[in-house]
Amino acid sequence: MRMEIKASFIAATVLSLNIGHACASTQIPWDQVGASYTQTELSNSDSYKGFRIHATALLSENVLFTGSYKRVKDSFSSFVVMDDVTQRATVDSTLDDLRVGLGYKYRVFDNTDWVNILAYNREEIEVSTRGLESSVSDNGVLFSTGLRSMISDSVELSGSIGYREVWDNDVFVNLGSQFHLFSNISFGLGYEWQDDIDSYEVSIHWSF
């Protein structure tokens, strides 16, 4: 399943590269809100599924606000000790990820923006089973730099690399595409890689 999703994303990205020509008059929509279905795959084969809501908004010609909130869940069977007895039980695990920050964009070509983002990042992991709950959280900062480009009137590609200090110090890579099929509504695909974690998403965006 993990390889099928990755292959579909790469195929869609390659297809988009062959649609039309780069349109210099098309503006990149920075004032956007969106919602995504997201799936996070860990190296131990655990698969978390859930949603992400996200937004960007220009505060001036070059400065922008960015924010997102993601919640994904997984359930698995494990042995737990309750009342000094080892039992098999269903364990529910939830991951919350909040990112809020500011960015600075710079027009490098008529259809391409370079953007740098500095954000606050907080993650919380909650585990529960048979009425018992436990959680742990960490917070820190992240920095990313990358490009957004309108390669045609209706197709946008983006890519960035970043570094964050949450739990461990990790490098991450983001790849994305948006298909602007209507005047203010677009659909997207996204992929994020970080160490032993792969995240995929399908999204819808509204530009204002």
Side-chain angles (χ1 to χ4, degrees):
M1 177 65 178
R2 176 173 168 180
M3 291 302 297
E4 291 175 356
I5 296 174
K6 184 179 290 187
S8 298
F9 175 80
I10 294 173
T13 302
V14 171
L15 176 63
S16 68
L17 287 170
N18 293 282
I19 299 177
H21 62 280
C23 180
S25 61
T26 303
Q27 296 297 311
I28 296 171
W30 284 103
D31 294 316
Q32 277 191 330
V33 294
S36 305
Y37 167 79
T38 182
Q39 180 172 326
T40 298
E41 304 278 353
L42 306 185
S43 61
N44 60 4
S45 299
D46 286 342
S47 178
Y48 286 74
K49 301 179 180 68
F51 68 90
R52 188 173 75 95
I53 54 176
H54 37 89
T56 58
L58 287 175
L59 303 178
S60 68
E61 182 180 355
N62 297 103
V63 178
L64 60 99
F65 163 84
T66 178
S68 68
Y69 172 73
K70 179 172 75 172
R71 167 166 282 198
V72 290
K73 297 183 177 182
D74 185 30
S75 296
F76 53 91
S77 180
S78 180
F79 288 102
V80 297
V81 178
M82 302 183 69
D83 299 325
D84 297 325
V85 178
T86 301
Q87 309 174 43
R88 179 175 287 276
T90 298
V91 179
D92 297 317
S93 179
T94 302
L95 169 64
D96 291 326
D97 184 305
L98 173 68
R99 303 181 184 189
V100 179
L102 294 174
Y104 185 87
K105 71 178 184 69
Y106 179 78
R107 178 60 54 92
V108 290
F109 301 109
D110 287 338
N111 65 324
T112 302
D113 285 352
W114 174 35
V115 60
N116 299 289
I117 293 174
L118 181 64
Y120 166 80
N121 187 191
R122 183 180 189 275
E123 281 194 351
E124 180 177 6
I125 301 173
E126 181 181 286
V127 177
S128 63
T129 182
R130 297 191 177 184
L132 301 177
E133 294 184 357
S134 178
S135 64
V136 61
S137 64
D138 193 20
N139 60 81
V141 296
L142 67 82
F143 172 78
S144 68
T145 183
L147 299 172
R148 288 182 65 178
S149 181
M150 295 295 300
I151 66 167
S152 77
D153 288 341
S154 59
V155 178
E156 174 190 340
L157 295 180
S158 61
S160 65
I161 185 170
Y163 175 82
R164 69 176 197 147
E165 296 180 336
V166 180
W167 306 113
D168 296 315
N169 300 333
D170 289 318
V171 173
F172 61 91
V173 175
N174 271 301
L175 299 174
S177 60
Q178 285 191 48
F179 305 91
H180 302 271
L181 304 181
F182 305 98
S183 59
N184 62 342
I185 296 177
S186 62
F187 301 92
L189 298 172
Y191 169 71
E192 180 177 284
W193 171 87
Q194 177 185 304
D195 195 14
D196 56 353
I197 302 173
D198 293 293
S199 296
Y200 310 86
E201 68 178 30
V202 179
S203 58
I204 183 171
H205 308 257
W206 177 64
S207 302
F208 56 91

